[in-house]
Amino acid sequence: MKEVVYISGVPSAGPDLPMLLGQVARGDQEAFGSVYDAVCGPVLGLVRSVLRDPAQSEEVAQEVLTEVWRTAARYRPERGGVMNWVLTLAHRRAVDRVRSAQASADREHKAALLDRTPAFDQVTEQVEARLEREQVRRCLRTLTELQRQSVTLAYYQGLTYREVAELLTVPLGTVKTRLRDGLIRLRDCLGVST
Amino acid sequence: MNAELHTLTGAYALHALSDDEREEFERHLGDCEACTQEVRELTATAARLGLAVSVTPPPEMKAAALRRISTVRQEPPVAPAPARPVAARFRGRRMARFALAACMAVTAGSAGVAVWQHQSADDAQQQARAAQQQSEQLAGVLAAPDAKATTGQLAGGASGTLVVAHSKNQAVFVASSMPKPPSGKVYQLWFNDAGTMRSAGLMDPSQTTEAVLLSGPVDKASGMGITVEPSGGSPAPTSAPLALMNFATA
Ligand SMILES: [Zn+2]
C-alpha cells in the first residue's frame, strides 16, 4: 500500500511583526507586548553576549525595547525584517555601552576575549531558537579560522576591527577583508536575501 | 579612496568601525548603491548571528518594559506609514528560511500538530509522536557536522535550500514563497538516482513556505527534483520538473 505523506502542515509562521510594529507606531501598547514576546529573547541574548554582566544586559535590553517603542514609526519594511531592525539597534547599543565602559576602565584581559565563545550553549527550551543556533554554527564552520575569529570577535564581543587586528596580530586591511568575505560566506550559507 | 571604502561593508555591518570611520562610510553609502545593497545583506546576516544566541528572558522583564514605555513619548512618523500589503509582502520574503523552518518545527513539536498527515486515520498521539520525531530528525540533519546546503532560485520568486547530511543519509528541503499548486495538485519531491526519480514525499498543498524532511534515504541520489502531481502524488513523475537541485558536494 502506498502511504501518502504530507510533510509539514502547520498553518502559522509566527506573528506578523511588520503589521504589529505599525500598530506600535500608533501607540498600541498591546501590540508592543506581542512584539516584545517575539524580540526580547534574541535582544537579551545578543546584548548579554557582548556585555556579559546580566544586570547591565537587562538594562541595555530594556533601553533597546524602549527605543523600539519610541521609534517604531521609523521602521521601513523595504529595508529589512523587524527582527533584523531590532537586533541591529540592540547590537549598536550593546557595542556603544561596552566601548564607553572600556574608555573608563580596563577591558578584560585580551586572552580572555579570545577564549570566549559565543553563548551557543545557553539553555533554551525553544526548538526554534535551537534550530537557528544549529544552522548558524554549521555555517560558521564553513568560514576560515581567521574569518570566523574576526566575525565573532567583532559581533559577539563588540570589538572594532582595529582591536580585532591587534588581538589576532594581523594587518588592519586583512581584518577588514576577512570581516567582509566572512559575512558574505555566512550570508550565502544561511541563504539570507534582501 | 573609494576602492578602499567598498571593503568596509562588513566592518560597518558589524559596528566595528570607529565613529569617524563610520561617518565617512555613511557619506559614501549616500552615493554608492552597491555598498548600500551589500550593507543591507550583511546587516541581515549579522542579525542571524544575534538570533542564534537568543535566551529566555526573565518573566518580570515584560512588566517592566510595558511600564517603561507607558511613560515614553513616541516619535512621529517621518513619512506616511507603508500600506499594509507592502508589509505583508515583505514579511514573507524577509523572514529567514531556516527561521521559518524552525517555526514550523516548533509548532509541530510542542503542540503536537500533525507534521505527517497520513491518509489512513492514525490517532492523534501517533501523529504527534511522528511530528516530534520528524522535527528532531530535521534538526539533526541541519546540525550534522557534514551538512551541506545548496540554495537555488525557483520560478516565480520562490527559492529553495537543499541540505544534505550524508552521515545521516537524510536531506531537508526548505522552500520559501512557493506559489500555491493549482487546485487538485500537489508538489512532489523526488530523489534523483542518476536520472531516475524516486519519490521523497509530498509538500503540503496549503503551505508556500515550509521545511521538509525528504522521506526515504538519500543513498546514491545526486540531488532532488520537484514536480507538480495530482493530489495524492504519483509513483513516477508525470510532468517536467519545476526544479532540479544537486546536493552540495563540497
Ligand atoms: Zn561603495
Side-chain angles (χ1 to χ4, degrees), chain A residues 53-111:
Chain A
D53 179 65
Q56 207 181 33
S57 301
E58 238 179 270
E59 188 189 313
V60 170
Q62 288 287 12
E63 284 173 14
V64 172
L65 295 160
T66 308
E67 189 175 354
V68 168
W69 164 259
R70 200 169 50 79
T71 64
R74 275 201 234 152
Y75 168 70
R76 288 287 163 270
E78 63 276 15
R79 294 199 198 146
V82 170
M83 188 67 88
N84 176 12
W85 180 65
V86 174
L87 287 178
T88 306
L89 292 180
H91 192 255
R92 176 78 250 169
R93 281 219 175 228
V95 160
D96 284 349
R97 176 66 72 100
V98 87
R99 286 185 197 154
S100 66
Q102 213 171 9
S104 53
D106 234 351
R107 189 90 192 266
E108 284 177 66
H109 194 264
K110 282 178 177 181

Side-chain angles (χ1 to χ4, degrees), chain A residues 24 132 156 161 180 187, chain B residues 21 38 41 48-49 74:
Chain A
V24 171
E132 177 67 17
Y156 291 120
Y161 78 92
R180 178 170 177 262
R187 174 196 70 192
Chain B
E21 289 166 321
E38 194 167 282
E41 292 171 5
R48 297 287 299 277
L49 293 173
Q74 292 180 292

Side-chain angles (χ1 to χ4, degrees), chain B residues 50-158:
Chain B
L51 211 49
V53 290
S54 178
V55 294
T56 307
E60 66 276 10
M61 256 188 91
K62 185 167 182 179
L66 291 171
R67 230 180 4 253
R68 209 171 146 142
I69 59 131
S70 68
T71 64
V72 173
R73 193 167 170 164
Q74 292 180 292
E75 286 183 11
V78 284
R84 174 73 183 78
V86 175
R89 184 162 52 82
F90 274 98
R91 174 175 170 251
R93 270 186 51 207
R94 297 290 177 152
M95 274 196 81
R97 283 192 280 279
F98 281 96
L100 276 172
C103 285
M104 291 169 202
V106 71
T107 318
S110 57
V113 175
V115 164
W116 302 66
Q117 280 177 6
H118 299 255
Q119 241 177 4
S120 57
D122 282 350
D123 72 272
Q125 215 179 13
Q126 201 179 330
Q127 288 192 11
R129 257 200 309 275
Q132 179 69 43
Q133 195 185 11
Q134 200 208 352
S135 114
E136 277 162 17
Q137 286 183 350
L138 197 147
V141 171
L142 296 182
D146 67 332
K148 291 184 182 70
T150 329
T151 298
Q153 296 298 315
L154 312 176

Side-chain angles (χ1 to χ4, degrees), chain B residues 2 5-6 9 25 28-29 32-36:
Chain B
N2 267 8
L5 276 174
H6 294 316
T9 49
F25 187 69
H28 170 70
L29 283 179
C32 180
E33 185 49 43
C35 281
T36 303

Side-chain angles (χ1 to χ4, degrees), chain A residues 97-193:
Chain A
R97 176 66 72 100
V98 87
R99 286 185 197 154
S100 66
Q102 213 171 9
S104 53
D106 234 351
R107 189 90 192 266
E108 284 177 66
H109 194 264
K110 282 178 177 181
L113 285 176
L114 274 178
D115 280 346
R116 272 200 204 172
T117 47
F120 286 136
D121 49 349
Q122 291 275 10
V123 182
T124 166
E125 70 277 15
Q126 285 178 296
V127 179
E128 176 181 9
R130 219 173 61 210
L131 281 175
E132 177 67 17
R133 205 161 51 209
E134 279 159 359
Q135 173 67 3
V136 165
R137 283 170 94 157
R138 185 177 72 71
C139 288
L140 279 171
R141 283 198 297 267
T142 69
L143 269 53
T144 67
E145 184 65 8
L146 188 55
Q147 284 174 334
R148 194 184 53 73
Q149 282 191 319
S150 304
V151 168
T152 54
L153 283 168
Y155 191 76
Y156 291 120
Q157 256 66 269
L159 300 192
T160 64
Y161 78 92
R162 279 173 203 283
E163 291 170 316
V164 172
E166 239 175 75
L167 197 58
L168 300 177
T169 57
V170 286
L172 281 176
T174 309
V175 172
K176 275 188 219 170
T177 330
R178 291 301 87 86
L179 290 177
R180 178 170 177 262
D181 53 34
L183 276 183
I184 287 174
R185 199 180 276 196
L186 272 180
R187 174 196 70 192
D188 295 344
C189 178
L190 291 166
V192 174
S193 61

Side-chain angles (χ1 to χ4, degrees), chain B residues 101-209:
Chain B
C103 285
M104 291 169 202
V106 71
T107 318
S110 57
V113 175
V115 164
W116 302 66
Q117 280 177 6
H118 299 255
Q119 241 177 4
S120 57
D122 282 350
D123 72 272
Q125 215 179 13
Q126 201 179 330
Q127 288 192 11
R129 257 200 309 275
Q132 179 69 43
Q133 195 185 11
Q134 200 208 352
S135 114
E136 277 162 17
Q137 286 183 350
L138 197 147
V141 171
L142 296 182
D146 67 332
K148 291 184 182 70
T150 329
T151 298
Q153 296 298 315
L154 312 176
S159 60
T161 300
L162 180 61
V163 182
V164 64
H166 286 290
S167 61
K168 303 201 171 280
N169 204 18
Q170 282 181 315
V172 165
F173 178 61
V174 185
S176 176
S177 309
M178 297 270 289
K180 280 229 156 90
S183 148
K185 307 273 186 184
V186 288
Y187 292 118
Q188 187 162 2
L189 306 177
W190 307 89
F191 283 114
N192 183 354
D193 292 329
T196 305
M197 297 306 201
R198 164 166 57 95
S199 181
L202 305 179
M203 289 173 66
D204 186 312
S206 67
Q207 296 293 309
T208 56
T209 297

